Amino acid sequence: AAFVRSTEVHALIRGIDARAARAVPGVVAIITAADFGDAGKKPLPHMVPVNLVKQPLNYYALAVDEVCHVGVPVALVVADSRSVAE
């Protein structure tokens, strides 16, 4: 598997076209936040609460609607091998 990560500092996600990636031999699935349904629109819970952090950041499994920094996971590609997924 390989994550597709944002190359933009800040951008709206208007759509993800995965047709070309799905056509690559060995690609098993392309997963985006839309595939999680309503669960994908909720941030992940904080695993370790820290009292010193007054406003913790809320991260999503995969980007929903926009990215706010470079490297945010936008999609996950599952394939027969890592090299095919990349």
Side-chain angles (χ1 to χ4, degrees):
F3 284 98
V4 178
R5 295 182 179 273
S6 168
T7 58
E8 302 299 320
V9 175
H10 186 245
L12 295 176
I13 299 172
R14 304 217 177 190
I16 298 174
D17 185 358
R19 287 179 289 184
R22 285 189 180 102
V24 174
V27 170
V28 176
I30 310 290
I31 300 167
T32 66
D35 295 315
F36 295 135
D38 288 339
K41 296 177 183 175
K42 296 177 184 174
L44 297 172
H46 297 284
M47 300 306 286
V48 181
V50 178
N51 292 334
L52 297 175
V53 178
K54 301 298 181 204
Q55 267 188 311
L57 297 173
N58 293 324
Y59 290 101
Y60 296 83
L62 295 171
V64 179
D65 299 328
E66 69 177 323
V67 295
C68 296
H69 59 271
V70 172
V72 173
V74 176
L76 175 65
V77 180
V78 180
D80 292 340
S81 70
R82 173 73 184 200
S83 61
V84 171
E86 289 179 355

